[in-house]
Amino acid sequence: MKVVVTGASGVLGSAVFSAFKNAGFDIIGLAKSRTGDGLQQLDLTSSDDVDEFFRKTKPDWVIHCAAERRPDVAEKDPSGTQQLNAEVPGHLASLSKTLKFTLVSISTDYVFDGTSPPYTPSSLTNPLQLYGKSKRDGEIAVLSITGAKVVVLRVPVLYGPAPKNSDSAINILLDIVQDQSGKTYKMDHYAIRYPTNVVDVADFLVRLTGLKKTIPPILHYSSDEPFTKYEICLTFAKILGLPHSHIIPDAEPPTGAAVTTRPRDCRLYTKETEALGVEGGLGLSLFEEWWTDRLKK
């Protein structure tokens, strides 16, 4: 079985690429600028190049991880973000129909407003910020292609192995905990997140390809352990045995412009995914246990 992974140099994409490679699949990883280690360069916003690649490659599955995932960067480049997060997945869905491959398009819990969790796959979306809106538009584009074999997989904030901590909104909190220079940090203790390991997502996707029954068009994959960013910092400090008095909790609800960017709780309901009967279930890691093992090595 031939599998193509887009965004294969990113935190999630690299984990997905490795998982399929280790499972013995015929795997091709795509990256916009980074090559080597089995990755091929392809600009997904160049429709002609994309068409040529996929018609030549003829994959069975495409795992689309490439995206502009940073909300602050998205706000500064709305047109580029819309192109990558909405137009590109729509184009891949069209190719899915024509070339008969199954497309799994990775989306986000930020398509919801965080006011009434938990959210089921059929819950109405209501993104608060440009990033969430662009991902919602990507979902609509993918799901609107009649006859295409497509799956939208929504995931929450992700962590795991990364080239540098700044590649993940969770991993980067390690740098803050380890900064014992005397600088203080105000840390969000309001929004509740469900950090999920990219290795777990990747392993689930490998097992999903072996499912013999029809896969629903929208799936949710998420840990069920709630944390605020401040609580994640406390967890890291505990594991590393470091003081954390330089990190100040901010439990106040956001005001002004921040209201539109910080949903309170976008917990994803995963019972439908569990009920699919994928071998091994969700296979979720425990946050503190995984980090303890990684940081104590």
Side-chain angles (χ1 to χ4, degrees):
M1 188 183 293
K2 184 177 289 187
V3 178
V4 170
V5 178
T6 72
S9 62
V11 177
L12 176 58
S14 60
V16 173
F17 177 80
S18 295
F20 277 98
K21 183 178 180 180
N22 293 339
F25 285 78
D26 181 2
I27 180 77
I28 300 173
L30 300 178
K32 183 177 180 180
S33 56
R34 202 177 304 175
T35 56
D37 297 325
L39 302 186
Q40 293 188 29
Q41 190 172 0
L42 182 67
D43 181 358
L44 293 173
T45 64
S46 174
S47 297
D48 290 342
D49 291 345
V50 169
D51 289 350
E52 181 182 359
F53 170 82
F54 281 98
R55 291 183 190 282
K56 185 182 298 182
T57 305
K58 297 183 174 62
D60 299 294
W61 285 73
V62 174
I63 314 298
H64 179 49
C65 301
E68 177 49 71
R69 59 172 181 77
R70 299 161 295 179
D72 54 335
V73 175
E75 295 289 340
K76 295 172 184 174
D77 183 16
S79 61
T81 297
Q82 187 71 12
Q83 184 180 26
L84 184 57
N85 289 0
E87 295 172 19
V88 166
H91 185 208
L92 291 177
S94 295
L95 287 174
S96 165
K97 179 179 180 178
T98 304
L99 301 177
K100 308 302 181 186
F101 61 78
T102 300
L103 171 68
V104 179
S105 186
I106 305 298
S107 191
T108 173
D109 58 345
Y110 266 32
V111 298
F112 300 112
D113 59 19
T115 60
S116 55
Y119 293 94
T120 70
S122 59
S123 295
L124 293 178
T125 57
N126 185 34
L128 297 181
Q129 78 290 86
L130 191 144
Y131 164 68
K133 291 174 183 175
S134 70
K135 294 296 283 184
R136 185 270 318 275
D137 292 348
E139 291 187 2
I140 293 171
V142 165
L143 297 172
S144 68
I145 307 298
T146 304
K149 293 174 65 177
V150 297
V151 180
V152 169
L153 182 69
R154 293 179 181 142
V155 297
V157 66
L158 301 172
Y159 70 92
K164 53 185 184 296
N165 287 336
S166 59
D167 289 340
S168 160
I170 300 299
N171 292 35
I172 198 171
L173 299 178
L174 273 171
D175 294 342
I176 292 173
V177 172
Q178 293 173 313
D179 183 359
Q180 302 290 316
S181 65
K183 180 180 178 180
T184 60
Y185 296 86
K186 202 174 195 180
M187 190 58 59
D188 180 25
H189 195 35
Y190 171 78
I192 299 170
R193 311 301 298 275
Y194 299 84
T196 299
N197 197 309
V198 292
V199 175
D200 296 342
V201 179
D203 288 344
F204 174 77
L205 285 167
V206 170
R207 291 180 280 118
L208 185 68
T209 63
L211 195 67
K212 299 305 180 186
K213 60 175 147 180
T214 302
I215 303 171
I218 302 176
L219 291 178
H220 286 177
Y221 187 95
S222 173
S223 168
D224 60 1
E225 294 183 280
F227 293 88
T228 64
K229 282 191 172 183
Y230 177 69
E231 289 169 339
I232 291 170
C233 288
L234 295 188
T235 301
F236 286 153
K238 173 186 172 184
I239 294 170
L240 295 169
L242 292 173
H244 53 78
S245 58
H246 63 296
I247 305 173
I248 314 301
D250 178 13
E252 293 299 314
T255 58
V259 173
T260 63
T261 60
R262 287 170 61 188
R264 173 77 170 90
D265 184 350
C266 292
R267 182 178 185 178
L268 298 174
Y269 186 80
T270 61
K271 295 301 182 185
E272 288 93 342
T273 308
E274 295 168 28
L276 275 176
V278 174
E279 184 180 353
L282 296 190
L284 294 162
S285 300
L286 295 174
F287 186 82
E288 184 174 339
E289 182 180 274
W290 189 87
W291 278 110
T292 299
D293 181 64
R294 184 169 181 84
L295 295 174
K296 292 295 187 180
K297 284 183 178 178

